[in-house]
Amino acid sequence: MSLEQKIKANIREDGAISFSEFMKFALYDETEGFYSHGGAGRKKDFITSPEVGPLFGKIISRAIDKCWIEFGKPSHFTFLECGAGSGTLAKSILRSQMQCKGALKYIAVESSSQQIQTHPAAVQTLSSMPNEIEVGIIFANELLDNLPFDIFESQNDGSWLEVKITVDDETISEILIPNNEKAPPYKLETPNVRVPVQREAQKWLKDALEILHNGKIIVIDYAVESFESHQKQHWLRTYQQHEVDTHPLKDIGQSDITSDVDISQLARVLPPTSIKTQAQWLRDLGLENQVEKSKQQWKKHAHNPDLTALEARSAIGESEALTDLSGLGSFKVLEWSVKS
């Protein structure tokens, strides 16, 4: 049975499904969902910061050391990467020279069995977050944007209709159903505006706060302050082989489905301690100093470059991509400090 057949059979048996239920099929079906075969990478569907090159992981390792020092250099320190994908970030971080390396336990959370196969041996891989972490960092890069979310559309009278997925003449399509109970807790003056309701992202943050006793939760994603005052156009996007679209019911299982993250929805769980652009956050961690070292390394060995020198040359271009305010550099870095 194909993925579309599975979705149609589910709808015929139980009725129209929420958009979040549809996303679970389209993205996370074990055999035919998008993440069973697609994902991040130059030869795949989109590029995230770890795939730009090893520089991102090298700077993240500085954030790990900084937190480890801040919490008293404990003998056991956990870095929990959620949505670890194929392990690209883990490989870069574990190659870095970290002060806390002897204390570090790296846990990668990934639900796709195909992605797990390429994780480095030094990583402990889990399919879900552990029950508790005494001290460490819970880290999520471009995870919350495609945790399943529901969609609601504003009406002239201030009410909301929920966008649900149904089958019409053998075609998977949308239907609008009244549902003010689970709708956004505000009214929009403009009718026919759609916004996401991101309960799974809120649940992820709530779970992370319960698991972590001491340390930091760090989320990096494209985000808006609130959809209540910022109805960004095309907040709902799909990615397939580096092409961007806005039609999630097309090529089901072949495209990523993603949304801008609503910071105000996360703040209902707990407001972030800090919000910065990725560009500023990386610079605060010493990105420019690292790039200057790379320039010197390349200059010294350009006549007979080894792997280290070639990586140094690459770091210059990587820095530009990671801090580009029209791209990855504009992403928001949300931090929550946790102390028991």
Side-chain angles (χ1 to χ4, degrees), residues 160-171:
W160 294 92
L161 296 180
E162 182 178 2
V163 177
K164 288 205 167 188
I165 307 302
T166 189
V167 176
D168 181 20
D169 263 345
E170 296 301 315
T171 300

Side-chain angles (χ1 to χ4, degrees), residues 64 67-68 71 74 76-80 104-105 133-139 212-218 336 338:
I64 296 172
C67 186
W68 176 67
F71 282 84
H76 296 89
F77 189 84
T78 299
F79 183 77
L80 177 69
L104 186 66
K105 180 179 183 180
I133 295 172
E134 181 56 40
V135 58
I137 294 173
I138 296 179
F139 182 85
L212 183 63
H213 297 174
N214 297 280
K216 290 187 176 182
I217 298 167
I218 302 175
W336 288 262
V338 180

